[in-house]
Amino acid sequence: MHIVLVDMPWSSIDAPSLSLGVLKRRVLDVFPDAEVDVVHAKLDYIDWVDEHVGFTFEEYDTFVSSYFSGHSEWIFSAALNERPRWKVAEFAEFLGGSVPEPMLAKATQLHELAPLFIEETAARIAAMTPDVVGFTATFAQNAAALAAARAVKRQAPHAVTVFGGANCEGPQGAAMHRNFPFIDFVVRGEGELAFPQLLSAIGADGGDGGDVSEIAGLCWRGPSGESVVNAVEARPLPPDALVPPDFGDYFEQHARSLAGTWVEPRLTVEGSRGCWWGEKHHCTFCGLNGSLMQFRSKDPGRFVAEILSLVERHRVLDVWVTDNILDMAYLTSMAPRLQESGYDLRIGYEIKSNLRRDQLEILRAAGIDYMQPGIENLSSRVLTLMDKGVTGCLNVRLLRDAETVGINLNWNYLYGFPEESEADYDSVIDQVPALVHLMPPSNATRLKVERFSPYFDRPELGFGELRPAAQYRHIYDLPEAELADLVYVFDSPRRGIDADCLDRLRAAVAAWTDAYPRSRLTHCDLGDHIVLVDTRPGFSWHLLDLTEPLELTVFRLLDTPHSPAALVRKAAARHDDVTEERIDELLARWRELGLIFCDAGQAVHVAPAVANQDLMRLDGENLSRGEPLVPALSKAAVPVGTPR
């Protein structure tokens, strides 16, 4: 049996499809005589567009990142609906000038060309004479994958068409199968068991076929072509059943493609599935994991062996781990093994934002130098509305410690939560000048209600009136009731802060982003004194020397968030004459100097430890030979060090 697996635009071009790599490996394990090919149509598309009209990385990146506006999927809507210039004017009106005219013109040009690309791609697949053609569908891949499946079915009627992936979870998969009759089967949920079972049922092992009605989660056609939907398996796959991927010739094609001149390729791997935090407290806005939240992780030794095997085979050191959250046990098992490997790995990981500095140091030593920490907001009250299980001060601590350790972060500032208030944002906005030396958020983004999230499933949380997001009406020619089952993102009533507060938030994020490359605040603890160096634009002081014993104690305590009462109690155990008034005065003075971040009755200092202790020690020695800079701290103007 010949199986062709297809990865259509718009998935990431710098990495192979993990889901198809896993499926290929799983199929070959079960059916060693099968022929399995993967068509990397996302790479083909870049070269095809460049040949026809030219393509730049900036254009492609804009379309890839336009999932929530529908840009990327709309490009393939004419091919999907088999109507030239499908809703061109309507889509432009929907965008309402929010997209620059050159990008809209490019999207329209690609929209008109998409049917030709789909037909040529389908012809290439049909020429491979496949028995089964499987399409993965995740996020913005639906329109392109559906259009290609229809064309394949027309050109190769004998081929069995199968869909799977995140866009096929739950009701989405059933709606997809129900509305697009050229799809023979939809696999819902984890495909490592269901897909081989389906192949066996349709004769991949040389048998006479089997009963597809027994395959959990499968959507299939009844005798009259009607859509039949099997119940989904409630039990997730155990970690031992999570096989490593086979990426085949992806890296060779990437090197030949225009994509190879745009971005370096990276590996994608998974150490776990599900979310251990979500099992206990499902973040209210998060729609990941669908119906399979249960957390399971691979044996750490096996996971490291998989990573190193892929690194050695493909000679690629950049790795992205797709786990939704770090298995905390990996800190003492997986991470040391990676460090001992001797490879100069550059690994990306998603983490919970309450990790301590010593834990970050362990991960950094293992090569994990890029993280998505799920910070989302710096107000403890808003974070409580999200059910995040962290505080604003803990999030700022992570930003600070990531700078110390040398880890890059990627995070967004989310707003628009029911019951949030202007005060939740203004208290943070007022303190942004003290944070500009820490990694800024990528942007300020209004939350979108996603299927499978508590906000979607529990209208009492504040979003009772939901409709399929408006962009879908310009992509699919389907009634609203069908879209309600098919799509992932929903429009909702606007909640939370008003327009004026939002303007202040966006201005603060923009100022933070602008100041970050030229801002620095560091501290060096020399035992009997602590030296701080500052180049942030919002403050006039540049060098600060803490020498008073109480100052040293309190600053060290503020390495972790503390309330004033806790500071009084702990400092009083070490010093005489510690009063609540003295602590309050010290905190007020440090807040004015931008040394601390305060939220929800707690404070934490915001000065990363200096990376080069020897250089900072020299700064301290220079200071000791000059004029004392205390107590007139805010008037000190001694430029030391250089901006980053």
Side-chain angles (χ1 to χ4, degrees), residues 280-470:
K280 299 178 291 186
H281 298 274
H282 191 172
C283 297
T284 54
F285 63 91
C286 178
L288 298 178
N289 296 298
S291 56
L292 295 174
M293 183 68 72
Q294 183 176 328
F295 184 75
R296 4 157 223 140
S297 62
K298 294 177 180 177
D299 173 82
R302 176 189 160 202
F303 181 40
V304 170
E306 289 178 9
I307 293 175
L308 298 183
S309 175
L310 290 167
V311 165
E312 291 166 359
R313 177 181 178 185
H314 299 293
R315 298 293 190 265
V316 172
L317 295 171
D318 291 288
V319 182
W320 178 254
V321 182
T322 61
D323 301 10
N324 293 149
I325 193 168
L326 172 72
D327 183 345
M328 297 300 288
Y330 276 5
L331 284 165
T332 55
S333 56
M334 179 272 288
R337 285 180 170 90
L338 279 179
Q339 182 179 0
E340 292 166 2
S341 72
Y343 284 101
D344 183 21
L345 299 172
R346 297 177 292 274
I347 302 175
Y349 229 115
E350 291 191 42
I351 64 167
K352 190 167 170 58
S353 60
N354 61 352
L355 290 189
R356 304 185 309 269
R357 182 186 307 154
D358 61 308
Q359 295 170 324
L360 294 177
E361 288 171 343
I362 291 171
L363 296 175
R364 181 65 184 86
I368 300 171
D369 62 355
Y370 177 85
M371 296 180 182
Q372 291 186 355
I375 291 174
E376 264 90 55
N377 205 288
L378 298 182
S379 163
S380 294
R381 184 172 177 276
V382 179
L383 291 164
T384 299
L385 295 175
M386 299 183 198
D387 211 357
K388 289 289 291 185
V390 295
T391 66
C393 284
L394 284 175
N395 281 346
V396 169
R397 182 185 72 172
L398 180 78
L399 293 173
R400 180 201 70 199
D401 291 346
E403 292 286 336
T404 297
V405 175
I407 289 176
N408 292 310
L409 301 178
N410 183 15
W411 65 288
N412 292 322
Y413 208 111
L414 294 184
Y415 66 90
F417 294 87
E419 300 183 28
E420 70 182 15
S421 70
E422 184 176 331
D424 298 325
Y425 289 84
D426 283 342
S427 65
V428 174
I429 292 169
D430 289 344
Q431 298 181 80
V432 163
L435 305 177
V436 295
H437 60 295
L438 307 178
M439 180 63 70
S442 300
N443 49 46
T445 306
R446 180 176 294 278
L447 76 91
K448 288 283 190 179
V449 177
E450 301 173 349
R451 187 183 298 278
F452 306 118
S453 70
Y455 279 144
F456 179 82
D457 292 328
R458 298 172 56 193
E460 70 272 15
L461 293 178
F463 291 108
E465 304 170 23
L466 297 176
R467 295 186 62 187

Side-chain angles (χ1 to χ4, degrees), residues 252-272:
E252 181 181 345
Q253 182 175 345
H254 187 278
R256 297 194 311 265
S257 169
L258 177 63
T261 67
W262 287 353
V263 290
E264 291 292 329
R266 57 189 169 97
L267 296 162
T268 51
V269 297
E270 61 175 349
S272 68

Side-chain angles (χ1 to χ4, degrees), residues 85-140:
R85 295 185 61 82
W86 164 261
K87 294 194 173 182
V88 171
E90 293 89 338
F91 189 65
E93 182 180 359
F94 160 71
L95 293 175
S98 61
V99 174
E101 182 58 36
M103 291 309 301
L104 179 58
K106 188 72 170 189
T108 303
Q109 188 179 35
L110 297 182
H111 174 85
E112 295 174 353
L113 286 170
L116 179 59
F117 173 76
I118 291 295
E119 288 301 317
E120 292 184 8
T121 300
R124 184 159 67 92
I125 294 171
M128 300 167 74
T129 62
D131 299 294
V132 176
V133 182
F135 293 87
T136 183
T138 302
F139 291 119

Side-chain angles (χ1 to χ4, degrees), residues 177 181 184-185 211-213 219-230:
H177 193 256
D184 294 313
F185 298 98
D211 186 2
V212 296
S213 66
C219 303
W220 51 284
R221 302 284 167 197
S224 302
E226 72 277 13
S227 179
V228 181
V229 180
N230 296 346

